[in-house]
């Protein structure tokens, strides 16, 4: 199981990333890539796309960053859970660039549904904090809690994410392990 993020397309590149998740069960010939895209949704295309391209292909010229690489028996135990989470995604035909639901909302949803992954998304994953109409959820990594008002304002406190303040989709935060400062557009320092 792997998760990736790459800088977004066009002007959004300065502020945000696009994220996705891939799985390859033991014995499979290839990975399956799951992501959410907005192109075509207004004309009836589904937002959730499967196997649109290879697992770690560039995202419109942007080199992907590997966020999670889980292998062996630990991964095998989670593959079906990831696939089931993809099927349960509550916005399969919706895409809103800001504040969500978007590609980062999708990856964060899968991470919350399968907390064993321990996946924390980067601060540039605008939309990761969109949790719908419920104000409380687990942090994407499964190591803490999150409060969010439609992805426009919120707070995450978790072992993996640290302390993150979300204001209008932008993340400001700090983390102790490793010591990290999180800034909008820049990401983690």
């Amino acid at each position: 199981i792997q998760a990736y993020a790459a800088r977004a397309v066009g002007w959004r590149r300065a502020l945000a990333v696009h994220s996705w998740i891939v799985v390859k069960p033991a014995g499979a010939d290839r990975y399956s890539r799951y992501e959410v895209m907005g192109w075509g949704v207004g004309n009836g295309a589904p937002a959730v796309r499967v196997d649109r391209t290879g697992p770690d292909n560039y995202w419109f010229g942007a080199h992907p960053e590997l966020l999670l690489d889980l292998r062996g028996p630990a991964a095998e135990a989670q593959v079906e859970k990831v696939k089931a989470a993809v099927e349960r995604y509550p916005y399969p035909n919706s895409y809103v660039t800001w504040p969500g639901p978007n590609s980062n909302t999708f990856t964060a949803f899968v991470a919350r549904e399968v907390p064993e992954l321990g996946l924390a998304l980067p601060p540039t994953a605008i939309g990761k904090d969109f949790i719908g109409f419920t104000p409380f959820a687990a942090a994407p990594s499964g190591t803490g809690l999150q409060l969010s008002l439609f992805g426009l304002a919120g707070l995450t406190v978790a072992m993996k994410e640290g302390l993150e303040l979300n204001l209008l989709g932008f993340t400001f935060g700090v983390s102790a392990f490793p010591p990290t400062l999180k800034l909008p557009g820049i990401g983690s320092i």
Side-chain angles (χ1 to χ4, degrees):
I1 301 173
Q2 296 178 325
Y4 293 92
R7 282 291 172 166
V9 177
W11 64 268
R12 293 182 288 278
R13 177 181 306 267
L15 302 172
V17 296
H18 167 81
S19 63
W20 65 93
I21 193 159
V22 299
V23 299
K24 183 176 182 263
D29 293 336
R30 61 181 182 78
Y31 283 89
S32 292
R33 176 174 171 156
Y34 302 102
E35 65 191 320
V36 162
M37 294 175 54
W39 292 288
V41 170
N43 294 325
V48 177
R49 311 288 170 92
V50 180
D51 294 337
R52 183 191 61 81
T53 187
D56 59 353
N57 284 41
Y58 279 48
W59 175 253
F60 294 92
H63 179 73
E65 173 189 354
L66 181 63
L67 304 175
L68 173 74
D69 188 11
L70 188 61
R71 296 173 182 267
E76 193 60 34
Q78 307 311 321
V79 167
E80 291 305 316
K81 291 180 184 179
V82 168
K83 290 179 176 182
V86 169
E87 292 295 320
R88 286 192 306 271
Y89 180 60
Y91 313 104
N93 298 305
S94 299
Y95 185 93
V96 179
T97 300
W98 176 85
N102 60 32
S103 65
N104 299 314
T105 307
F106 170 76
T107 307
F109 175 84
V110 172
R112 282 186 193 93
E113 293 290 298
V114 190
E116 298 87 349
L117 298 176
L119 175 60
L121 293 170
T124 49
I126 293 174
K128 69 181 175 66
D129 299 310
F130 183 87
I131 56 176
F133 295 103
T134 179
F136 296 100
S141 70
T143 64
L145 298 173
Q146 180 173 29
L147 164 69
S148 182
L149 302 173
F150 310 107
L152 297 172
L155 182 69
T156 300
V157 179
M159 290 299 294
K160 203 141 191 198
E161 284 91 349
L163 176 64
E164 294 183 350
L165 173 65
N166 170 16
L167 185 59
L168 299 177
F170 296 111
T171 297
F172 302 84
V174 294
S175 179
F177 306 107
T180 306
L181 177 63
K182 301 175 181 186
L183 297 170
I186 295 171
S188 297
I189 301 173

